[in-house]
Amino acid sequence: MKSALKIHPRGGEARVLLSSVFGPYARDDEFGSRKINPMELYQNQVTRVQGAFSLRLFHRSFGLMFIQRNIKAPCTLLDFPSLDRFIDECRNQDYDIVGISSIVPNVGKVKKMCEIIRQYLPSAVIVVGGHIANKAGLEEEIDADHIVRGDGVRWFREFLGQNPEQPVLHPFAESAHRGRILGHNLSEKPGDTAAVLIPSVGCPVGCNFCSTSALFGGKGNFINFYETGDELFQVMCDIEKEMKVRSFFVLDENFLLHRKRALRLLDLMKEHNKSWMLNIFSSARVIQSYSMEEIVGLGIGWIWMGIEGSASRYRKLKDIDTMALVRTLQSHGIRVLGSSIIGLENHTPENIGAAIDYAVGHNTDFHQFMLYTPNPGTPLYEKHKKDGTLYDESVFPVADAHGQYRFNFRHRNILDGREEKYLLDAFEKDFTVNGPSLLRLIRTLLNGWKRYKNHPDRRIRDRFTWEVSPLRSTYAGAVWAMKQYFRKDRNTEQKLSSLLKDMYLEFGWKTRMLARITGMYIFISIKREERLLARGKTWEPNIYYEKNEAALRMEKKSQQFRVTRNAGSGTLVAAHAPAKI
């Protein structure tokens, strides 16, 4: 390991390759992939047991996209490569720097990638970052020159001799790709998928289990890429123009915590008549510090909110009635993804059922369940390390410490691997009691429409009109199909019958007609999807191969015909650089 950062000898001329870890992902292999831990956030942690009703989505490596957008050196981004594709890139292209981003469970893949780089690009500087950088002793496990913890944009700018204080340029990226539900691929037309928006990284609240907070300095620390509402508004306008979007997935741990910025953004949205929709993360306490008028005015239509547990000791939940808050938000058309922890310190075999019932009782549109997991770098990890309760990696491989399998520590009350069953019980009970997440989402959308369809502010009316447009046709068909599917499940069938009746009353005979027509087709798709899943069908993200402007200029030069004389025949031979995929 190099002890001090020096500018790369080639500076801004250095050729850079950035890569995520290689796939495939949703299977067990010798490098640390696990079938139980796919590269799909929702299927992995939220709609895990919902089968054909599960929302399937893949998300890009946004940190790498940020770095590529903000360095002047020629930079290629290879996102979600296969092992063979990564080998091919290292063998056939010439790079001075190779950067790899990863989470801790994929350390085996990072180790393999470093070996490949040393074999085919022996002179390249290897840089490793992302959550894996929190892992103690990583420098002894992998052959990397630099392990970067925290802000990768600043680090690369310094390493390449750029001014690290330059304004941060935001990449143009969809929040997800390869979306799928009920056996149907979701539309990927421009504007149909929200754009990702990253105003800040880190979280000053600093919950003891939070890896993201720990990565960027822990409690009290964060990095704002855009300090003011004016800066953020301009970024959003640029994204809107470039990508033809009106919705944003705000990848910020606690977006509304930056109150001055959020309220200035609201003022600008009103001034310029922007009818945007924002999907955000927020703690319950911060949500309650805003009026509903402000939340709706900001266009917030979806909130990921930590519920943790009925007896959790986190200040962000103290004296907050999260059940009442969820009901209020949903009555205003705001979808809620609740997040609960299985295996808090106070959980026992005797009270875990009540803890699960408490979480399920919120009836959120989506619900994430995760095991209480001490991840490297967090205060929770350090506490267990000090107490001697962490399992050694020889006993519990790091590849299995992903929060959806077993504890990586010795819990004082829950023993013998029982946590795996408790976790599955939580998912199953939420699905059984509350029905498919799609059902809940559609109900909440309808609530919002009924409340705001005649709102005096046209900007707000327009947003709800746009958001609920699928309710008149495809969503009505989905409800019709789900009603047929769950006809023997009295609880869920009644929820669907009531919802479908309300949709017919609200949208009339056209919706009634379309519901049956599209519903029959969707019902067949659900059954087909179930057969695919029963055969073990999995999905993988697309492979992305992207170059920044400097890399494209370099490629254009290299693609010029090089005329060489064939010594044997005197003929002219034209050669091209390898084509982009």
Side-chain angles (χ1 to χ4, degrees), residues 292 295-296 300-303 329-330 332-336 365 444:
M292 193 54 63
I295 291 173
V296 172
I300 294 171
W302 185 96
I303 298 176
L329 292 169
Q330 290 174 326
H332 288 267
I334 299 168
R335 285 76 75 199
V336 180
D365 302 88
T444 301

Side-chain angles (χ1 to χ4, degrees), residues 31 46 57 61 88 105 109 134 171 192 218 231 237 245 278 283 292 332 337 366 413 443 455 496 537 563:
F31 301 113
V46 183
L57 290 172
S61 300
D88 180 72
K109 291 193 171 187
N134 276 333
D192 283 355
E231 291 175 291
C237 287
V245 297
L278 278 62
S283 61
M292 193 54 63
H332 288 267
L337 194 161
F366 296 88
N413 300 316
R443 168 58 75 185
H455 194 274
L496 289 159
K537 172 68 176 176
V563 181

Side-chain angles (χ1 to χ4, degrees), residues 281-487:
F281 296 78
S282 181
S283 61
R285 180 172 296 280
V286 171
I287 294 170
Q288 286 206 331
S289 71
Y290 287 77
S291 68
M292 193 54 63
E293 181 182 3
E294 290 168 334
I295 291 173
V296 172
L298 275 165
I300 294 171
W302 185 96
I303 298 176
W304 189 314
M305 181 176 74
I307 293 170
E308 320 310 4
S310 58
S312 67
R313 301 168 184 172
Y314 297 104
R315 185 180 178 277
K316 65 182 181 180
L317 294 167
K318 186 177 180 181
D319 299 325
I320 303 293
D321 184 344
T322 50
M323 286 193 178
L325 178 58
V326 168
R327 288 193 295 270
T328 298
L329 292 169
Q330 290 174 326
S331 72
H332 288 267
I334 299 168
R335 285 76 75 199
V336 180
L337 194 161
S339 180
S340 295
I341 295 173
I342 302 297
L344 291 169
E345 291 96 335
N346 64 300
H347 284 170
T348 68
E350 292 74 29
N351 67 25
I352 192 70
I356 292 171
D357 288 344
Y358 171 78
V360 171
H362 284 76
N363 193 17
T364 54
D365 302 88
F366 296 88
H367 211 116
Q368 177 194 44
F369 293 98
M370 291 287 285
L371 293 178
Y372 203 38
T373 303
N375 288 313
T378 64
L380 183 62
Y381 182 91
E382 294 304 318
K383 178 183 183 299
H384 280 283
K385 183 178 179 181
K386 181 180 178 182
D387 293 345
T389 51
L390 289 173
Y391 290 134
D392 188 88
E393 290 181 19
S394 62
V395 176
F396 191 88
V398 68
D400 289 320
H402 49 69
Q404 286 293 319
Y405 175 47
R406 297 277 182 82
F407 293 137
N408 62 342
F409 68 101
R410 187 171 64 256
H411 196 286
R412 64 185 179 183
N413 300 316
I414 300 174
L415 308 173
D416 304 323
R418 296 180 187 178
E419 65 273 17
E420 183 180 14
K421 181 180 184 303
Y422 296 146
L423 184 68
L424 287 172
D425 285 348
F427 281 114
E428 292 283 1
K429 187 151 195 177
D430 181 57
F431 187 34
T432 300
V433 172
N434 297 320
S437 287
L438 183 60
L439 154 64
R440 304 176 230 172
L441 177 147
I442 293 171
R443 168 58 75 185
T444 301
L445 277 174
L446 185 61
N447 290 342
W449 166 251
K450 291 163 77 172
R451 181 182 286 266
Y452 288 103
K453 62 182 178 181
N454 296 316
H455 194 274
D457 187 338
R458 181 177 177 181
R459 188 177 67 90
I460 292 174
R461 290 199 312 274
D462 286 352
R463 175 170 70 84
F464 279 92
T465 299
W466 170 72
E467 280 192 51
V468 306
S469 58
L471 296 187
R472 301 174 184 272
S473 53
T474 53
Y475 279 8
V479 176
W480 189 95
M482 287 191 288
K483 182 176 181 293
Q484 307 311 306
Y485 182 92
F486 288 100
R487 61 187 177 275

Side-chain angles (χ1 to χ4, degrees), residues 15-26:
R15 294 156 295 187
V16 180
L17 171 66
L18 300 175
S19 180
S20 58
V21 296
F22 60 85
Y25 307 99

Side-chain angles (χ1 to χ4, degrees), residues 261-299:
R261 183 177 66 186
L263 293 181
R264 176 57 180 160
L265 175 63
L266 172 58
D267 289 342
L268 290 168
M269 287 174 64
K270 290 178 178 178
E271 180 182 340
H272 296 274
N273 196 34
K274 294 296 184 183
S275 187
W276 291 330
M277 196 274 273
L278 278 62
N279 308 271
I280 70 167
F281 296 78
S282 181
S283 61
R285 180 172 296 280
V286 171
I287 294 170
Q288 286 206 331
S289 71
Y290 287 77
S291 68
M292 193 54 63
E293 181 182 3
E294 290 168 334
I295 291 173
V296 172
L298 275 165

Side-chain angles (χ1 to χ4, degrees), residues 112-128:
K112 179 64 176 179
M113 294 172 80
C114 290
E115 292 169 358
I116 291 166
I117 297 164
R118 293 299 186 214
Q119 179 180 354
Y120 295 108
L121 296 166
S123 299
V125 174
I126 301 177
V127 184
V128 173

Side-chain angles (χ1 to χ4, degrees), residues 535-548:
R535 294 199 294 266
K537 172 68 176 176
T538 60
W539 284 267
E540 294 286 321
N542 296 330
I543 297 175
Y544 289 86
Y545 187 68
E546 300 162 338
K547 296 177 180 289
N548 66 1

